Amino acid sequence: MKERVIQFGEGGFLRGFVDYFFQKLADQGLFDGSVVIVQPIEKGMCDMLMQQNCDYNLFLRGVENGQVVDEHTRISIISRCINPYTEQDDYMKLAENPDFRFIVSNTTEAGIEFVPDNRFEDKPARSFPGKLTQLLYKRYQLGLPGFIVLSCELIDHNGEELLKCCKQYAELWGLEEGFGTWLDEENDFCSTLVDRIVTGFPREEHAALCERIGEQDNMMDTAEIFHLWVIQGNHEDELPLQKAGFHVIWTDNVDPYKKRKVRILNGAHTSMVLGAHLYGLETVGECLKDEKVSALLKKCIFEEIIPTIGDTEDNRAFGGAVLERFSNPFIRHLLLSIALNSVSKFKARVLPTILEYKEQKGSYPQALVFSLAALIAFYRTDDANDGEEIMSFMKAAPVAEILKREDYWGEDLTALLPDVERWYGLIENAGMDKAYDAILAAEE
């Protein structure tokens, strides 16, 4: 099988999402190709994958069309892994293969970043866009065709931002003007939206699942059965995802789908998990079974988030689907896993709704403001997991100083101080149980 896909990222998400699609396309005879994984950071899991010949087992479980689904797929679409920090020559040789047509990536929300101190001579450049620019420039020099680039990072206009970074490196490194033209004309940097809850390695179920499949698999992956991939552009002729039966939308504008997903699904996650952890819960499933936590979640979704972005039938249906997905009995989605880097997540997922709600209705949405107070209380604990500077500051600084941090929130949030202090004081002094009672009884 020809190698046709270069994939930046070996984490659970891409292996439970994109690699699953390529596997199923190949199984149906709709795609003749394999995937080569490039490890985007120095320390990763490529060695572990290579120890298993890059094969692993994926379990997709949930409720689909009212029926319980428990699907097992053996993923064997990955041909090899390359660590450019130790295998730079092998990495750059990827540019020489004319069979490569697709590049996919998920290097986290911080991965698409222009870092000016990266040099063209670095082996490799430290940033993901820097590494990619090195590879693409060699491809250009060889006179070979470009790529369809599918960025899966959770940032707005991810494909456009990645192209922008590549052009910045081309300018910084003094690469010829023709390379910039080639980037534009011979490549399609598609912005995409990905939606699937991937819960990763099933630590507590691992032994039982290994027994079920009859083999030891240390790279096993798990996810929900639900999926949605919205891609700006249309390459169904080369990548027949819709023909294969997947919920894939080719569109000229990802933004409406992106906004709905980030605000409702991701916003619901981020606004719920920190308070729920302080309340003593461990998983999303427990949250949906708890009367108070689930009531506050519904209040956030249906009384604050959806009225802000558009109280339409489609959005309410999406909100209902989110509740079903959170209730998935097969997924043990740990709150502390979702809580990673909560400051940046809150800024992207929840804060825009708070500010737009205020602009539209003249007051702040109290359930979402409550979640900001819970975030501050959570960062006072030792369970926070974020950048060292953020954790150190959040743990000790007064609430007023935290809200002033424009580098955290994008603007000074001092106007929120009375409401945040109200809920924060209640959480700290009366505890989360009483705080939940108060916010559920509060009128907007």
Side-chain angles (χ1 to χ4, degrees):
M1 190 180 291
K2 297 178 180 179
E3 293 180 337
R4 297 192 60 202
V5 183
I6 301 172
Q7 174 176 307
F8 287 86
E10 78 284 13
F13 180 80
L14 284 180
R15 291 190 295 110
F17 191 77
V18 172
D19 293 331
Y20 170 77
F21 293 147
F22 282 120
Q23 182 70 55
K24 291 299 185 180
L25 285 173
D27 291 346
Q28 295 182 41
L30 296 173
F31 185 77
D32 179 21
S34 63
V35 176
V36 176
I37 288 181
V38 175
Q39 185 173 293
I41 58 176
E42 191 165 2
K43 294 182 180 179
M45 297 185 292
C46 275
D47 286 344
M48 291 180 65
L49 262 176
M50 291 289 283
Q51 288 171 11
Q52 298 190 176
N53 197 35
C54 297
D55 294 348
Y56 62 95
N57 294 275
L58 174 66
F59 294 87
L60 302 179
R61 300 174 294 182
V63 178
E64 187 175 49
N65 299 322
Q67 300 296 315
V68 175
V69 178
D70 184 354
E71 176 187 313
H72 165 236
T73 303
R74 184 170 179 81
I75 306 295
S76 58
I77 198 70
I78 300 167
S79 60
R80 58 190 169 121
C81 297
I82 295 174
N83 180 353
Y85 291 87
T86 58
E87 302 167 298
Q88 172 71 2
D89 290 344
D90 289 339
Y91 169 61
M92 292 303 293
K93 282 180 182 177
L94 296 176
E96 301 173 9
N97 185 346
D99 293 329
F100 280 119
R101 179 57 174 148
F102 302 94
I103 292 175
V104 297
S105 69
N106 186 6
T107 55
T108 79
E109 285 132 283
I112 298 181
E113 180 184 20
F114 174 68
V115 183
D117 64 0
N118 282 211
R119 300 176 305 161
F120 182 69
E121 299 79 19
D122 291 342
K123 295 184 177 181
R126 190 168 74 254
S127 75
F128 158 54
K131 292 183 187 70
L132 180 59
T133 304
Q134 290 172 323
L135 187 73
L136 292 176
Y137 183 65
K138 183 172 182 181
R139 184 82 164 189
Y140 158 75
Q141 287 183 307
L142 294 169
L144 292 173
F147 297 92
I148 296 168
V149 183
L150 302 167
S151 303
C152 298
E153 290 81 1
L154 190 61
I155 64 170
D156 290 338
H157 309 119
N158 41 29
E160 297 165 40
E161 289 299 316
L162 181 55
L163 174 59
K164 178 181 174 182
C165 287
C166 290
K167 287 184 172 182
Q168 286 177 297
Y169 281 116
E171 182 178 356
L172 176 69
W173 295 339
L175 306 181
E176 59 263 38
E177 187 175 326
F179 175 55
T181 303
W182 181 85
L183 285 175
D184 284 327
E185 295 181 356
E186 297 295 326
N187 301 270
D188 190 1
F189 285 74
C190 302
S191 292
T192 85
L193 165 69
V194 294
D195 192 357
R196 166 172 274 170
I197 298 171
V198 176
T199 43
F201 184 73
R203 194 168 307 279
E204 294 188 2
E205 298 177 273
H206 183 230
L209 290 173
C210 284
E211 184 176 353
R212 171 177 161 184
I213 60 177
E215 65 174 310
Q216 183 69 19
D217 181 0
N218 294 322
M219 294 301 293
M220 189 179 288
D221 205 4
T222 61
E224 66 174 338
I225 192 70
F226 177 92
H227 70 272
L228 171 65
W229 199 2
V230 183
I231 306 173
Q232 196 159 299
N234 193 341
H235 298 285
E236 177 73 14
D237 57 335
E238 294 189 66
L239 199 60
L241 293 160
Q242 291 178 341
K243 185 177 180 180
F246 293 120
H247 191 192
V248 171
I249 298 172
W250 301 98
T251 180
D252 59 0
N253 186 8
V254 171
D255 288 349
Y257 303 96
K258 170 87 171 182
K259 183 175 183 179
R260 181 178 70 178
K261 187 255 183 178
V262 171
R263 297 291 188 90
I264 300 178
L265 174 69
N266 301 120
H269 257 158
T270 298
S271 63
M272 177 183 71
V273 298
L274 305 182
H277 173 75
L278 294 172
Y279 185 55
L281 304 183
E282 293 185 4
T283 68
V284 171
E286 291 174 1
C287 292
L288 271 291
K289 292 177 182 177
D290 185 273
E291 183 178 347
K292 294 180 182 180
V293 177
S294 63
L296 184 59
L297 173 64
K298 293 171 186 175
K299 187 180 181 77
C300 286
I301 292 175
F302 294 103
E303 297 181 26
E304 296 185 350
I305 298 173
I306 289 176
T308 302
I309 67 171
D311 200 350
T312 65
E313 184 176 340
D314 282 350
N315 285 344
R316 286 193 164 269
F318 188 85
V322 164
L323 294 179
E324 288 185 350
R325 293 167 67 188
F326 285 6
S327 302
N328 187 337
F330 292 100
I331 290 183
R332 192 172 188 273
H333 205 167
L334 294 173
L335 302 182
L336 287 181
S337 174
I338 302 168
L340 176 68
N341 298 332
S342 282
V343 168
S344 61
K345 287 177 178 176
F346 193 93
K347 175 188 174 184
R349 302 172 174 185
V350 183
L351 185 58
T353 302
I354 292 176
L355 299 177
E356 289 174 22
Y357 186 101
K358 173 65 161 63
E359 185 178 339
Q360 294 174 19
K361 304 183 184 302
S363 61
Y364 289 111
Q366 291 304 301
L368 293 177
V369 172
F370 178 89
S371 71
L372 177 54
L375 180 150
I376 295 171
F378 172 79
Y379 271 77
R380 307 296 205 202
T381 73
D382 292 332
D383 291 325
N385 189 355
D386 210 319
E388 289 296 328
E389 187 279 332
I390 292 175
M391 290 194 295
S392 176
F393 179 81
M394 294 283 290
K395 194 164 191 175
V399 174
E401 293 304 310
I402 291 172
L403 295 180
K404 287 180 180 178
R405 289 295 295 259
E406 295 186 30
D407 53 334
Y408 289 1
W409 315 115
E411 61 182 270
D412 187 331
L413 299 181
T414 298
L416 279 165
L417 182 60
D419 289 334
V420 174
E421 280 194 325
R422 170 192 175 193
W423 298 119
Y424 174 77
L426 193 59
I427 292 168
E428 290 291 287
N429 297 320
M432 282 303 304
D433 189 24
K434 292 282 199 314
Y436 275 129
D437 289 338
I439 185 60
L440 289 171
E443 296 293 331
E444 297 297 342

